[in-house]
Amino acid sequence: MLLAPGARERAALRSLANPVPVDTAGRVFDSVRTRAEEEPGRPAFVEEEGTLGYGQFFERVLEIAALLASRGCGAGDVVACSGFRGSDTAALFIALEKLGALYLPVDPAWPAARTEDVLRRSGSRYVVEYGRQGPGGQLSVRAHDPGTGRAPVLGAGEGDPRYVIFTSGSTGRPKGAVVDQTGLMNHLRAKVHDLGLTAEDAMAFTAPLVFDISVWQMLAPLLVGGRVVVFPDDAMLFPRRIFRTLERQEVTVAEVVPTLIAALVQEAGRIEGRTPLPLLRWLISTGEELVPGLAERVLAVLPHALLMNAYGPTECSDDVTHHVVTAADLGRSRLPVGQPIANATLYVLAHDVETDTWDAAERGEAGELFVGGRPVGHGYVGDAAATSGAFFHDTIDPGSPTGRLYRTGDLARVDDHGVHYLGRTDRQVKVGGVRIELGEIEAVLSRHPRVESCAVSVLGDTGRPELVAHYVAPEELPADDLRDHLSAALPADMVPKRWVRLAALPLTGNGKVDHRSLSGRQDRAPAP
């Protein structure tokens, strides 16, 4: 990327940074071993089958590591892991950490063609199947031929690549983001510090394993002697069951996407005569935008819990910002995502199309968010083109510990409250010659008192693009009422002409709104 004259100095001056001494040289393996030696009976994992103490859990780590080593698995090998959420997931990850190998989660529900593509592009040398996925319910290891001419894992020799997670690409083909050991440990330590995690905490392990937040959910509590409460996949289909498990297992920290937060708040609102989720200390929102209307409901129903708005890309070791939501935030059209976590450096840069150069955005000005510092990963395995388009040499900070700068593709601005996420650059559309950010419309519409959730898309079946608002509400809402609500805060060009009420918004496997599938529901959109 080419910087405009003087842009380096301006970007450094306007950056947000949080340099904190963090021990990134350690391993999760070492923390678990120490706890197993000192308190072998302390609960490490709580599962449907029972509770597993740190001593038993560490024995399982050693058992898996020995099995992998006996098959020839060693440093630098990519190991595809196919199974379901459980203590064996964490044991497998930590066993691979001990061996210096890379963990690659694979969803058993993926089509065979996608799985094979991921295995080939990642250069996986082994496939591990475990839990219900394993033969007879047992963990098994088989060799996998990575093929000839496979791309080496990016960053080998620059740090220790620790895991690969394939994210959805804009082309429809997934990209394998490579994160190293120091980025992993920096993020885990940041979570421990910012959340004040202790041995008394119980963390909800809820995330799909191919979603990056699953990594910290199952590992961060182990650094402090806390316990991990495993939520089986079938439980995640029913918000009421999730809510009851949170209460029964006395969970203190839970991180889920806003769609699920809305469902949990609805369940909490049904409780009468007692405090819902009384031991919950933190409810963390991630994965998609948390809107003020939902945040307000959380603070009202769960006043004893702190609400955190977290943001971060998979390519940068997960979350890179944290923000504790307060009542003062609720009057904003959009919530801040906050300040950088430990050792992350954030830049908002504006692109000049005429000169093809980048410059630091003014304070309060929208631009594209770039991430520097310790969290930045190595790139995309087996995809040099995608890597070169998103990862750059960090010419702004000569002291960067990684020397890399990641282009998020997200719009943002910075003010006294930190970073404000403004939506994806690829969700900007032009309607009637006007450039529109769909997320801004969604943020305003979500504040309507009777709209539970919403998503805005563009319909082009008339030959002229039109905005379509999809919303979830207890009953059909008058279009005039919805238009008036938006018109009070947005210019006329940003007010949708068509409205579709849905029973629920379509979701991806990660629980985010599936914007692509909304197009299939636009045939139901009534004309104004």
Side-chain angles (χ1 to χ4, degrees):
M1 60 183 294
L2 181 63
L3 296 177
R8 177 185 174 277
E9 292 75 15
R10 288 187 290 273
L13 182 64
R14 298 170 189 168
S15 66
L16 293 181
N18 184 17
V20 177
V22 171
D23 178 17
T24 58
R27 300 180 300 177
V28 181
F29 176 86
D30 300 321
S31 295
V32 173
R33 177 175 57 188
T34 299
R35 191 69 59 175
E37 293 171 350
E38 297 177 351
E39 299 180 277
R42 172 174 282 277
F45 282 84
V46 179
E47 303 181 270
E48 287 187 319
E49 299 80 8
T51 299
L52 195 66
Y54 272 86
Q56 294 173 291
F57 176 69
F58 186 63
E59 290 177 3
R60 183 59 170 160
V61 171
L62 295 179
E63 178 186 351
I64 294 174
L67 175 61
L68 288 163
S70 71
R71 302 296 176 86
C73 179
D77 288 334
V78 177
V79 180
C81 304
S82 179
F84 297 89
R85 193 182 306 111
S87 60
D88 260 8
T89 311
L92 183 52
F93 187 105
I94 297 170
L96 292 169
E97 180 192 43
K98 179 181 186 295
L99 297 174
L102 283 76
Y103 165 81
L104 166 63
V106 171
D107 190 336
W110 279 351
R114 178 186 175 99
T115 297
E116 188 53 42
D117 182 50
V118 165
L119 295 182
R120 180 183 59 78
R121 291 169 60 202
S122 65
S124 297
R125 293 193 58 208
Y126 300 91
V127 175
V128 176
E129 295 177 320
Y130 63 96
R132 301 196 310 273
Q133 186 66 13
Q138 301 299 309
L139 186 146
S140 69
V141 180
R142 61 179 171 85
H144 178 266
D145 182 5
T148 59
R150 68 183 178 93
V153 174
L154 295 166
E158 300 176 8
D160 294 319
R162 182 56 58 235
Y163 67 86
V164 183
I165 288 188
F166 274 76
T167 65
S168 296
S170 58
T171 62
R173 192 182 191 196
K175 299 177 293 186
V178 181
V179 174
D180 70 19
Q181 178 73 16
T182 56
L184 165 70
M185 293 305 296
N186 186 80
H187 182 247
L188 296 181
R189 295 293 184 190
K191 278 292 193 290
V192 169
H193 178 271
D194 291 357
L195 300 176
L197 295 181
T198 72
E200 303 307 312
D201 277 305
M203 178 76 211
F205 186 15
T206 59
L209 298 182
V210 292
F211 195 13
D212 55 353
I213 68 172
S214 64
V215 174
W216 90 264
Q217 285 184 354
M218 68 179 175
L219 299 182
L222 305 181
L223 297 182
V224 295
R227 65 187 185 277
V228 180
V229 178
V230 179
F231 284 65
D233 285 347
D234 56 354
M236 297 306 296
L237 300 174
F238 305 100
R240 186 165 297 180
R241 185 174 171 187
I242 297 171
F243 185 89
R244 289 173 177 170
T245 304
L246 290 171
E247 285 204 320
R248 186 177 67 255
Q249 298 298 346
E250 300 183 335
V251 168
T252 61
V253 182
E255 180 182 38
V256 292
V257 295
T259 304
L260 185 50
I261 288 179
L264 294 178
V265 167
Q266 189 175 38
E267 290 297 324
R270 294 192 175 105
I271 302 296
E272 296 181 357
R274 65 177 180 85
T275 301
L277 303 175
L279 296 181
L280 187 68
R281 294 198 307 114
W282 286 102
L283 181 59
I284 307 167
S285 174
T286 194
E288 57 186 3
E289 186 172 4
L290 175 66
V291 297
L294 176 55
E296 186 173 15
R297 295 198 294 275
V298 173
L299 297 185
V301 176
L302 301 171
H304 58 285
L306 293 169
L307 175 62
M308 175 178 282
N309 196 19
Y311 161 86
T314 302
E315 291 85 348
C316 295
S317 314
D318 199 358
D319 295 324
V320 295
T321 69
H322 290 158
H323 176 73
V324 181
V325 180
T326 67
D329 293 319
L330 302 180
R332 306 174 185 278
S333 60
R334 306 182 91 150
L335 297 174
V337 293
Q339 301 290 340
I341 68 161
N343 306 309
T345 304
L346 307 178
Y347 307 92
V348 177
L349 306 180
H351 185 235
D352 187 321
V353 178
E354 292 184 2
T355 61
D356 194 25
T357 59
W358 293 85
D359 202 347
E362 297 281 354
R363 195 172 185 82
E365 178 188 0
E368 195 164 338
L369 185 64
F370 286 72
V371 181
R374 177 56 65 194
V376 182
H378 293 289
Y380 302 110
V381 64
D383 198 333
T387 299
S388 64
F391 290 82
F392 303 92
H393 175 61
D394 189 348
T395 57
I396 300 174
D397 179 11
S400 166
T402 65
R404 296 184 292 273
L405 195 63
Y406 174 68
R407 180 182 181 182
T408 66
D410 290 333
L411 293 172
R413 62 178 173 83
V414 171
D415 64 12
D416 293 341
H417 300 279
V419 177
H420 292 253
Y421 170 81
L422 303 178
R424 291 288 301 171
T425 55
D426 54 15
R427 290 203 72 215
Q428 279 190 338
V429 298
K430 266 193 174 182
V431 177
V434 178
R435 189 171 295 279
I436 292 172
E437 168 54 49
L438 298 179
E440 185 175 357
I441 304 172
E442 293 165 352
V444 176
L445 181 56
S446 68
R447 295 182 68 86
H448 189 287
R450 294 159 70 192
V451 171
E452 296 176 355
S453 57
C454 62
V456 178
S457 61
V458 177
L459 178 65
D461 62 351
T462 63
R464 183 175 182 273
E466 291 183 326
L467 295 172
V468 182
H470 308 259
Y471 67 93
V472 176
E475 68 280 325
E476 196 87 28
L477 300 179
D480 288 344
D481 180 34
L482 295 170
R483 288 194 191 98
D484 290 346
H485 174 79
L486 290 181
S487 297
L490 298 173
D493 292 323
M494 297 182 69
V495 177
K497 301 294 189 296
R498 298 187 178 216
W499 306 87
V500 182
R501 175 176 167 253
L502 301 174
L505 293 176
L507 304 178
T508 66
N510 290 342
K512 301 179 183 181
V513 175
D514 187 352
H515 293 280
R516 291 184 180 181
S517 74
L518 286 173
S519 60
R521 303 172 186 230
Q522 289 169 349
D523 57 338
R524 295 165 48 192

